Amino acid sequence: MTEKDFIPQENLNYPKKGKVAYKAPSNIALVKYWGKKENQIPANPSVSFTLDACATRTTLTYHQKEDKSDFCFDLFFEGKPKEDFKPKIETFLKRIERYLPYLREYHFTIETSNSFPHSSGIASSASGMAALALCLLEIEKEATVNQDSDFFDKKASFLARLGSGSACRSIKGNLVQWGEHEGLENSTDLFGVNYPNKVNDVFKSFHDTILLVHKGQKTVSSTVGHNLMNGHPYAASRFVHAHTNLAALEAVFANGDLNQFINIVESEALTLHAMMMSSTPYFILMMPNTLNIINAIWTYRKNTQIPVCFTLDAGANVHVLYPESYSKEVMAFIKTELVQYCENGHYICDKVGNGAKKIELK
Ligand code: DP6
């Protein structure tokens, strides 16, 4: 497929007004997307677990308006007007207008809320952009007779990518792969797809307990971090490394080798932060308690042989990953040894989930 496939061909009869709602989950990358080209094209492929509990719910109310010269929308976050989110949404609407040519014809009311606590330091751009993309695309679906659901999912992911790269991995469930990679059938830079190859059952119910080390805003945004990969001295080898790690993970997904899984996933997390520490300007998003948690996990794993590991996103919080069969032991470990390193003792229990869902409105 090419981006042209997402431009509607016909003159569709769009609805005059309507209301739609979606819930879209967050995701956690195992092989990280860090570095991008123009138009939100990733510099390397990535793969993620779709989460379940961490999600955004968005309701979109729309009606056609007379003046079609500009975008027009009101935005409410957790019930209150949210002016500072508006520029990001406006940029998003501009980027996707070519693929949803009706956007200027409507007035939109966007009401959005997160299941995870506000300013928990958890990135909401992935779930937020995915939920909004789904709602906006639903208008096209309303106007299309028998729209193929596979095409709908691909286009939703394609649009979400233009809002935030990682958001394209928040439409489908379980394991989602994004970015061209040799040997992975149908892999594309344009949208995320369900990981196509064999997946051992152990990965279908993996747990992710997110330890909230720092709940405030990050000092450097992901978008700025991605840009710092341009001209980064290690960028070229990092992008090759991501392909190598993805290829190695393919074998692990099939055979369920958790030791190998741990090696790859932890190396990816630390490599991501190594890129931050070696860019110009350099920066550090980990905090002392991030390292305390990592060290405690390593000690616990060595002593118990329980296959628990960590990954990080672009922040100080730690995602603790482990198979469902060890959830009792690992939760006891988290409560007795790791919660002390969390801000106000806060953490979120999550696990692999099934992807975005339409919310039926009464
Ligand atoms: C470290 O998707 O937030 O979480 O495309 O600029 O919106 P933009 O960046 P974003 O970057 C996510 C980076 C990451 C790794 C990952 O999720 O793959």
Side-chain angles (χ1 to χ4, degrees):
M1 285 181 91
T2 72
E3 58 92 32
K4 289 206 172 60
D5 295 319
F6 295 113
I7 302 171
Q9 298 299 323
E10 308 144 66
N11 231 344
L12 299 174
N13 192 10
Y14 293 109
K16 289 205 165 16
K17 59 179 185 156
K19 189 171 180 176
V20 58
Y22 268 92
K23 178 181 168 196
S26 191
N27 68 76
I28 181 69
L30 303 172
V31 172
K32 309 289 180 180
Y33 148 58
W34 198 243
K36 58 177 158 182
K37 305 173 203 166
E38 241 187 294
N39 299 328
Q40 295 283 100
I41 295 299
N44 65 259
S46 57
V47 66
S48 52
F49 278 143
T50 305
L51 296 180
D52 183 43
C54 288
T56 299
R57 277 168 179 264
T58 297
T59 305
L60 182 77
T61 314
Y62 54 92
H63 62 260
Q64 282 180 339
K65 59 183 171 63
E66 290 288 309
D67 177 5
K68 303 184 189 339
S69 59
D70 240 325
F71 298 116
C72 189
F73 65 94
D74 295 318
L75 182 69
F76 296 87
F77 179 66
E78 271 149 31
K80 298 196 186 89
K82 190 81 179 153
E83 290 302 312
D84 50 333
F85 278 9
K86 282 184 126 179
K88 205 168 175 187
I89 304 285
E90 178 114 17
T91 305
F92 178 49
L93 296 179
K94 278 186 193 138
R95 285 189 193 159
I96 63 173
E97 190 182 12
R98 179 171 153 82
Y99 312 101
L100 299 180
Y102 49 82
L103 294 178
R104 284 177 205 260
E105 291 172 22
Y106 288 94
H107 174 276
F108 296 112
T109 302
I110 305 165
E111 292 165 276
T112 186
S113 62
N114 290 335
S115 65
F116 40 96
H118 180 42
S119 68
S120 57
I122 298 287
S124 57
S125 64
S127 52
M129 287 299 175
L132 182 57
L134 285 157
C135 288
L136 291 169
L137 181 57
E138 192 74 19
I139 299 173
E140 178 183 293
K141 192 176 173 187
E142 283 268 310
T144 316
V145 190
N146 293 331
Q147 195 181 56
D148 176 46
S149 71
D150 184 52
F151 176 81
F152 180 85
D153 288 345
K154 283 176 178 154
K155 184 160 178 179
S157 173
F158 173 87
L159 297 172
R161 187 197 96 234
L162 294 171
S164 179
S166 55
C168 79
R169 300 189 312 242
S170 276
I171 305 293
K172 303 291 284 178
N174 281 339
L175 262 184
V176 176
Q177 197 275 329
W178 167 42
E180 272 179 45
H181 177 69
E182 212 182 290
L184 270 188
E185 212 187 322
N186 299 329
S187 64
T188 167
D189 289 341
L190 297 180
F191 49 85
V193 292
N194 270 124
Y195 174 76
N197 294 349
K198 191 177 159 206
V199 180
N200 188 288
D201 281 346
V202 72
F203 298 116
K204 294 179 185 161
S205 55
F206 237 67
H207 283 238
D208 177 5
T209 302
I210 309 163
L211 305 180
L212 304 177
V213 170
H214 178 64
K215 299 204 265 173
Q217 261 217 309
K218 296 185 289 196
T219 46
V220 180
S221 74
S222 291
T223 305
V224 170
H226 285 292
N227 288 336
L228 293 176
M229 288 302 279
N230 293 320
H232 190 293
Y234 307 136
S237 52
R238 158 61 196 155
F239 301 145
V240 172
H241 188 225
H243 280 273
T244 311
N245 278 343
L246 182 55
L249 258 189
E250 284 175 61
V252 168
F253 287 147
N255 65 24
D257 180 344
L258 293 175
N259 289 331
Q260 262 305 93
F261 177 80
I262 289 168
N263 289 339
I264 298 164
V265 167
E266 292 191 344
S267 166
E268 270 292 317
L270 294 178
T271 302
L272 168 71
H273 285 258
M275 291 300 109
M276 301 173 192
M277 289 191 249
S278 49
S279 60
T280 310
Y282 46 80
F283 59 104
I284 301 180
L285 295 182
M286 289 189 284
M287 294 200 153
N289 280 341
T290 312
L291 298 183
N292 284 331
I293 290 169
I294 291 173
N295 279 313
I297 290 173
W298 284 343
T299 305
Y300 175 79
R301 190 165 75 220
K302 194 162 170 234
N303 292 340
T304 62
Q305 303 297 312
I306 288 178
V308 52
C309 68
F310 71 87
T311 189
L312 307 166
D313 56 19
N317 299 329
V318 182
H319 291 248
V320 185
L321 301 176
Y322 49 96
E324 179 143 80
S325 55
Y326 291 102
S327 60
K328 243 175 102 181
E329 293 91 328
V330 177
M331 270 319 293
F333 159 61
I334 288 172
K335 284 181 187 158
T336 54
E337 291 190 46
L338 302 185
V339 164
Q340 59 175 319
Y341 302 123
C342 299
E343 197 174 328
N344 301 326
H346 287 168
Y347 60 91
I348 300 171
C349 292
D350 211 335
K351 61 187 290 196
V352 167
N354 295 323
K357 292 266 167 321
K358 188 172 173 181
I359 302 168
E360 293 309 330
L361 297 167
K362 277 163 227 140

